[in-house]
Amino acid sequence: DRRREAPAAGSPIQPIIKDVGEIYSRLLDHRPVIQGEIRYFVKEFEEKRGLRELRVLENLKNTIFETNDRVLPKCEQAMRDSLNETLKRLQAANGMMHRLQEKEYEARKLQADKVMAREEKCVAHWEEFMKEQRTQRAEVDEEHGKAMERLKEQYSEMEKELAKYVSF
């Protein structure tokens, strides 16, 4: 039932409420400060800078046109000249490398042919050696056979002679 009533002007709480309101507005309410800063920035930008940005942009535009009209063609021509010279040098180097590769290929082919010829010669020598070994083996086998026959004959004669002496 009791309604709140605004404190009377003579109330002791009134100065405290006023102090709290001031503290709030100083510490927590930043709108007046921000609005002041915005006004100051706009004033500085419009008054002090004037047409400086326009002049800077005009100078920049002139520099770009000068670059496009004078500097860029000179750079393009220098680049073309350098690239043509570089291309000629690269083609010459490529030709030299190709010739060197051909020489290297020929040298390797010659070396491979020599190795192949040596290998064929070694194979021929080996075949000849094996043929000689076969003929020598056949000769040795033949001599061995003859020797065996001689020994058989010799032993059979020896047995016959022994048989003569055993009968005594």
Side-chain angles (χ1 to χ4, degrees):
D1 290 327
R2 211 170 169 193
R3 290 187 184 167
R4 286 188 162 187
E5 294 179 14
S11 153
I13 209 155
Q14 188 66 30
I16 294 173
I17 292 175
K18 185 177 179 187
D19 287 341
V20 167
E22 278 184 41
I23 291 172
Y24 171 79
S25 67
R26 284 187 182 197
L27 294 178
L28 301 174
D29 189 15
H30 300 295
R31 282 177 285 166
V33 174
I34 292 172
Q35 287 174 354
E37 287 296 319
I38 290 172
R39 279 190 225 106
Y40 176 75
F41 177 78
V42 169
K43 180 181 172 188
E44 285 291 314
F45 189 78
E46 288 176 350
E47 290 178 3
K48 290 189 176 178
R49 294 185 72 119
L51 299 176
R52 190 179 334 161
E53 282 76 21
L54 188 60
R55 284 191 300 260
V56 168
L57 289 174
E58 188 68 33
N59 289 339
L60 186 61
K61 183 180 95 174
N62 290 338
T63 304
I64 289 172
F65 281 132
E66 181 180 339
T67 302
N68 284 340
D69 291 342
R70 294 183 193 157
V71 176
L72 189 60
K74 287 180 185 177
C75 289
E76 285 177 353
Q77 186 60 39
M79 185 177 67
R80 279 192 198 106
D81 294 342
S82 297
L83 286 178
N84 286 336
E85 181 66 27
T86 304
L87 182 63
K88 288 176 186 175
R89 287 183 180 179
L90 283 174
Q91 287 172 341
N94 193 19
M96 284 188 233
M97 290 301 294
H98 184 67
R99 287 190 295 276
L100 284 173
Q101 285 178 339
E102 288 293 324
K103 287 180 183 178
E104 182 71 23
Y105 174 74
E106 291 297 325
R108 284 185 181 176
K109 187 177 179 186
L110 183 62
Q111 188 69 20
D113 290 345
K114 286 180 181 179
V115 167
M116 193 66 109
R118 277 191 231 132
E119 188 176 307
E120 288 173 0
K121 192 175 181 181
C122 285
V123 167
H125 280 294
W126 180 255
E127 288 175 359
E128 186 179 327
F129 172 74
M130 290 305 288
K131 188 187 249 184
E132 285 178 21
Q133 289 299 313
R134 277 186 238 124
T135 57
Q136 286 178 1
R137 186 180 71 193
E139 289 173 5
V140 167
D141 286 344
E142 188 179 324
E143 284 181 32
H144 182 268
K146 288 179 184 178
M148 290 286 289
E149 284 297 316
R150 280 184 290 190
L151 283 174
K152 280 183 187 180
E153 287 175 16
Q154 186 180 0
Y155 281 121
S156 71
E157 283 180 28
M158 288 170 86
E159 271 182 26
K160 286 179 188 177
E161 285 188 30
L162 254 175
K164 287 182 193 177
Y165 295 112
V166 171
S167 52
F168 290 114

